[in-house]
Amino acid sequence: MDTLARVGTVVFDKTGTLTRGEFEVTSVHPDDFDETELLHLAAHVEHFSTHPIGEALRTAFPNEATHGCKITDVEEIAGHGIRANVSGCTVCVGNSKMMDAIGVKWNNCHSIGTIIHVAVDGKYVGHVVINDRLKDDSAQAVKSLKRLGVDHMVMLTGDRKEVAFDVAKKLGLDTCYAELMPADKVRYVEQLLATKTENKTLAFVGDGINDAPVLKRADIGIAMGGLGSDAAIEAADVVLMTDEPSRVVDAIKISKKTMTIVKQNIIFAISIKLIVLILSAIGISNMWQAVFADVGVSILAILNALRALYLSLIHIS
């Protein structure tokens, strides 16, 4: 609670955190390959994926199950994509880093959006452009965090620079780093931890399995409970029961007010006990004053602490 109350830097993941994570295919660019077959293979490879991008590809090819393809050897490569055997063909679906890793020359795309490249048996067959939408309260959450005294807001994402910078600009974030691997996110968070203001803490907000290492490394990790993966939720210190970024603001407000109540109780309790102790030393206090300094102060402190529950209920509602 104390760590959350002193947050000075908030680092966000993008997909599923600041954006809805509700992707849709906006265009398909085959490279000497059939467009329908390109979507068909991409949808098959992403069949077992829980990532929102996989859902978008499956939605774009709804009759995937009618093709009767046999899918085996599915391998999800963190920060790259997914590789699988589809009816005897090795199909790789992922970002440009995955294409580089398998030695495939890929085509660049100038469309704004997430670019999903597809290769079959080591040959590049095209790419799919997928777009996401900002959450309704993302911009307001960023503004509210600034009003709360958060002086540095950063976004770390594995997405393309063009997409990431466009989102960061719309939200008014201070810094944005794109095309990152999970290990890169940890490295940037460590840099931010080393340069943050003294007595201020760093919070990371994320939802995916790739965010788990960063959630553990940050001073305080905050996971989205709705879209969040089990790994992210397990690694986080705070779990939001909804996927609204504005709930991060509520959590910080609650922690700040709770810490104020804690300090009030400490100052009140110690002050009364010191006063009664001094009065006892000079022979003025009596038994009832001593009882009040002990039991009475405890009851008043408990009643004051109940305000924290009231504040929480207001923000939850």
Side-chain angles (χ1 to χ4, degrees):
M1 193 68 74
D2 178 53
T3 304
L4 188 58
R6 295 186 291 111
V7 168
T9 301
V10 176
V11 183
F12 293 98
D13 173 47
K14 181 181 77 68
T15 305
T17 302
L18 293 173
T19 62
R20 290 178 176 271
E22 297 173 356
F23 290 89
E24 60 178 4
V25 174
T26 54
S27 60
V28 181
H29 301 161
D31 186 14
D32 193 25
F33 202 75
D34 182 72
E35 180 177 321
T36 302
E37 185 66 12
L38 177 62
L39 271 177
H40 160 224
L41 290 174
H44 267 307
V45 172
E46 295 283 352
H47 181 81
F48 299 102
S49 174
T50 58
H51 196 281
I53 286 178
E55 183 178 350
L57 289 170
R58 294 192 297 271
T59 302
F61 196 79
N63 56 341
E64 170 197 356
T66 64
H67 281 63
C69 293
K70 184 179 180 181
I71 309 168
T72 57
D73 302 326
V74 179
E75 180 185 3
E76 186 166 358
I77 305 171
H80 285 72
I82 297 180
R83 175 168 51 212
N85 187 294
V86 181
S87 298
C89 297
T90 300
V91 182
C92 296
V93 179
N95 55 24
S96 57
K97 293 178 181 178
M98 185 174 202
M99 297 297 107
D100 292 337
I102 62 175
V104 171
K105 185 178 180 181
W106 49 276
N107 295 335
N108 196 12
C109 183
H110 299 291
S111 300
I112 295 295
T114 301
I115 310 301
I116 305 300
H117 299 280
V118 182
V120 179
D121 289 334
K123 179 183 177 183
Y124 187 72
V125 296
H127 57 267
V128 181
V129 182
I130 296 176
N131 274 304
D132 194 6
R133 290 189 300 161
L134 288 173
K135 290 182 179 178
D136 295 335
D137 62 337
S138 291
Q140 185 57 47
V142 171
K143 292 178 182 177
S144 298
L145 285 170
K146 288 181 178 179
R147 286 197 294 267
L148 278 176
V150 177
D151 49 24
H152 194 197
M153 275 176 280
V154 183
M155 184 174 74
L156 303 180
T157 178
D159 213 338
R160 296 174 64 208
K161 290 182 179 179
E162 295 83 355
V163 180
F165 292 158
D166 182 60
V167 170
K169 183 178 179 181
K170 288 178 179 176
L171 296 179
L173 298 174
D174 301 306
T175 314
C176 173
Y177 300 101
E179 299 181 2
L180 303 179
M181 298 283 288
D184 296 328
K185 290 185 178 182
V186 174
R187 179 165 53 86
Y188 277 109
V189 164
E190 288 178 342
Q191 291 177 5
L192 291 167
L193 285 168
T195 58
K196 65 182 174 65
T197 307
E198 190 177 356
N199 295 326
K200 291 287 187 177
T201 59
L202 180 146
F204 180 84
V205 188
D207 72 301
I209 187 172
N210 293 338
D211 297 325
V214 205
L215 287 165
K216 292 292 287 185
R217 183 64 186 89
D219 290 324
I220 186 160
I222 303 175
M224 297 290 183
L227 285 174
S229 68
D230 291 340
I233 292 171
E234 182 67 25
D237 302 294
V238 177
V239 179
L240 305 179
M241 298 311 293
T242 68
D243 295 309
E244 301 165 288
S246 57
R247 291 301 185 182
V248 176
V249 180
D250 293 340
I252 295 176
K253 282 182 178 179
I254 290 171
S255 65
K256 284 180 177 291
K257 291 180 179 179
T258 300
M259 290 310 300
T260 298
I261 292 172
V262 169
K263 291 174 183 177
Q264 288 172 353
N265 283 345
I266 291 172
I267 293 171
F268 173 71
I270 293 176
S271 298
I272 295 298
K273 289 178 184 294
L274 282 175
I275 290 171
V276 173
L277 184 63
I278 293 171
L279 292 176
S280 298
I282 60 179
I284 297 177
S285 68
N286 55 38
M287 183 184 68
W288 296 111
Q289 290 173 338
V291 170
F292 174 75
D294 184 20
V295 180
V297 166
S298 297
I299 293 174
L300 290 175
I302 291 170
L303 292 174
N304 190 38
L306 288 175
R307 290 171 52 221
L309 177 61
Y310 174 71
L311 293 171
S312 300
L313 291 173
I314 289 176
H315 288 287
I316 291 172
S317 61

